Amino acid sequence: MTRVFSGVKPTGHLTLGNYLGAMRRWAALDQHESDALFCIVDLHALTVDHDPARVRRLSRQAATLLLAAGLDPKLCTVFVQSHVDEHARLSYLLECVATDGEMRRMIQYKEKAARERVRGGSVRLSLLTYPVLMAADILAYGTDQVPVGDDQTQHVELARDLAMRFNQRYGHTFVVPRATPPQVAARVMNLQDPTAKMGKSDDSGPGIVYLLDEPDVVRKKVMRAVTDSGREVVYDRAAQPGVANLLEILAACTGGNPSELSGVYESYGALKSATAEAVVEVLRPVQERHRELCADPGFVEGVLRDGAERARAMARPVVDAAYRAIGLLPASAATTAAAAADIEVTA
């Protein structure tokens, strides 16, 4: 089967955008059609200033929500990145293949580093190198496909480049992966700024619908969504981004078509009301299942423990092969040599 890898970073509460753009597809398609791994990439959350307790809390919440969204541990592997040492082991090897120039050309590094400097903070080295860790996440499992939005495509391209470069220099070791963008709802935009992605790390809470928002909170946020000048409901992303965003969210929640839905509503108010109710309904089963899982924390812990064991069993042979290929002495040989040296000294 085709192997698929994807992950979520515990830097904020998961959003409607995360669900419609990725998680729903993972549950409905990827876990059934492929050998799929879904990872809470907690090491990536350490690239900026953070609260350790919050990272742990958000990591557990993210794992619980992935299961609540429909991921079945009998069909796929759900685990936490830091529970599998092979990610960090492989990351250093790939740093020895990557170049400084490649890292500094990463768009997200440029943007995040600029924001950090504006705040007066220092830029951590891990912010520069974390795309290599992301490549290690992917390559450690012989991943064929990485379902990502267009904002992450550059990172998958880096993983491809590093895999091919390593294979050329040291012998065929890695599968060369490819990005597979979601077919629909690839990007859900911020309700208060429809030109910006609805990101979980964003500070503009009123524009973000979180998966655990209460129904009344969801309704309030959608009803206050920014629209556009004029009164006609038309699907035009360039001319009417606010209305287009609402139509795309409504279409994603109901299985409709944004262009066709634009002819159904005569006012912005009617469109907002319909969108709000559609979002409440699409989140209802996720929230109900989340409450059930929170009442049984031992189940989630067991899923993550078993998932890490399966992930480790998949990754270790690949990473061990990379260590041998790049020229590192196998641990067993090193132990034997050390023992022989001790015998000679004693004699």
Side-chain angles (χ1 to χ4, degrees):
M1 295 179 70
T2 299
R3 181 160 290 173
V4 169
F5 178 95
S6 198
V8 294
K9 184 164 59 175
T11 51
H13 300 286
L14 295 178
T15 72
L16 178 67
N18 296 127
Y19 180 69
L20 296 180
M23 294 164 61
R24 186 170 63 172
R25 169 182 162 166
W26 297 347
L29 296 176
D30 291 333
Q31 68 173 344
H32 297 282
E33 299 177 353
S34 60
D35 181 8
L37 298 98
F38 301 105
C39 182
I40 294 86
V41 287
D42 53 346
L43 295 176
H44 292 296
L46 311 184
T47 59
V48 295
D49 190 33
H50 63 277
D51 175 5
R54 186 170 187 266
V55 171
R56 285 191 291 269
R57 187 166 60 251
L58 289 176
S59 296
R60 178 180 293 277
Q61 184 186 90
T64 306
L65 280 169
L66 289 179
L67 297 174
L71 293 188
D72 185 345
K74 295 178 182 178
L75 299 175
C76 64
T77 302
V78 181
F79 67 105
V80 177
Q81 178 189 33
S82 63
H83 294 177
V84 180
D85 293 345
E86 278 64 32
H87 292 256
R89 288 180 61 208
L90 181 55
S91 182
Y92 180 74
L93 292 197
L94 296 180
E95 285 186 18
C96 297
V97 177
T99 67
D100 177 74
E102 283 177 314
M103 297 299 98
R104 296 188 186 278
R105 285 194 297 271
M106 289 287 131
I107 295 172
Q108 289 208 6
Y109 169 72
K110 292 179 180 179
E111 294 176 347
K112 291 180 180 180
R115 286 199 297 269
E116 198 65 28
R117 293 188 184 100
V118 168
R119 295 190 184 106
S122 57
V123 179
R124 299 186 180 189
L125 178 61
S126 57
L127 185 61
L128 177 66
T129 60
Y130 93 92
V132 179
L133 176 58
M134 185 180 294
D137 299 337
I138 297 167
L139 299 181
Y141 297 99
T143 302
D144 299 295
Q145 298 180 5
V146 187
V148 292
D150 55 9
D151 60 326
Q152 292 292 331
T153 301
Q154 188 185 36
H155 289 150
V156 181
E157 289 301 316
L158 175 69
R160 288 175 55 83
D161 291 342
L162 296 180
M164 289 187 287
R165 191 177 305 156
F166 192 102
N167 289 347
Q168 289 167 358
R169 291 180 180 176
Y170 305 113
H172 185 77
T173 306
F174 299 116
V175 173
V176 179
R178 63 184 179 90
T180 54
Q183 297 173 352
V184 293
R187 299 189 77 179
V188 175
M189 312 308 281
N190 191 296
L191 295 175
Q192 292 298 312
D193 180 5
T195 64
K197 182 181 175 182
M198 185 184 286
K200 62 182 179 297
S201 302
D202 201 325
D203 295 330
S204 55
I208 304 172
V209 175
Y210 296 105
L211 294 187
L212 296 179
D213 277 347
E214 293 292 333
D216 286 345
V217 174
V218 172
R219 294 186 182 100
K220 184 180 295 184
K221 288 180 177 180
V222 176
M223 294 304 294
R224 292 180 178 177
V226 168
T227 49
D228 311 284
S229 59
R231 297 182 178 181
E232 189 176 0
V233 178
V234 177
Y235 181 61
D236 187 333
R237 167 57 69 182
Q240 293 189 305
V243 171
N245 189 37
L246 291 172
L247 287 168
E248 289 176 356
I249 292 172
L250 177 60
C253 290
T254 61
N257 179 282
S259 297
E260 294 175 0
L261 287 170
S262 66
V264 175
Y265 303 97
E266 297 181 354
S267 68
Y268 291 169
L271 172 61
K272 288 181 176 181
S273 180
T275 303
E277 293 308 315
V279 172
V280 167
E281 288 307 310
V282 85
L283 294 184
R284 190 185 306 280
V286 177
Q287 295 179 351
E288 290 175 353
R289 180 58 177 153
H290 179 266
R291 285 192 289 270
E292 293 173 358
L293 291 168
C294 286
D296 186 11
F299 174 77
V300 178
E301 291 175 1
V303 168
L304 296 179
R305 181 180 61 252
D306 294 344
E309 290 178 0
R310 288 202 300 271
R312 196 176 299 115
M314 290 184 230
R316 183 165 294 168
V318 176
V319 177
D320 285 349
Y323 267 59
R324 291 192 298 271
I326 206 170
L328 298 178
L329 191 65
S332 57
T335 302
T336 303
D342 287 342
I343 292 173
E344 289 179 7
V345 171
T346 302

